[in-house]
Amino acid sequence: MVQCALRCVGVFFGVGLENIVDSVVRSYGAEVNGPTQEKLFNYIRLLPSTGVSDEKLLTFGRAYLREILEPNPRYTGC
């Protein structure tokens, strides 16, 4: 499901969102499960509409993935 959504949105925005998500996951260097990839995709999907460059998408995607998988224990979200 995520792969189809990635292709459809990637074509819609005219950028390689699928490639960006794949690059972020590859650069993380560990296994990333489907639900986490979907969260990352949904986050990155929002950013092109703000005019963020592909390079920034990669940077923001890496930071977002790191926060999902390695949350800082100092922040409880409260």
Side-chain angles (χ1 to χ4, degrees):
M1 180 172 105
V2 173
Q3 290 295 346
C4 177
L6 288 171
R7 264 186 249 108
C8 295
V9 172
V11 169
F12 179 75
F13 283 114
V15 295
L17 292 183
E18 181 177 359
N19 293 335
I20 291 169
V21 171
D22 289 343
S23 294
V24 169
V25 169
R26 270 195 316 273
S27 71
Y28 185 69
E31 189 68 28
V32 177
N33 64 25
T36 302
Q37 283 186 358
E38 191 168 343
K39 284 181 184 178
L40 176 62
F41 168 73
N42 289 332
Y43 173 72
I44 289 179
R45 180 179 62 176
L46 297 173
L47 297 175
S49 64
T50 64
V52 175
S53 69
D54 286 358
E55 186 64 36
K56 287 287 187 184
L57 289 175
L58 289 169
T59 302
F60 293 157
R62 285 186 207 108
Y64 184 73
L65 186 59
R66 188 174 49 251
E67 287 300 317
I68 291 173
L69 298 174
E70 304 169 26
N72 189 327
R74 294 182 296 171
Y75 304 108
T76 63
C78 296

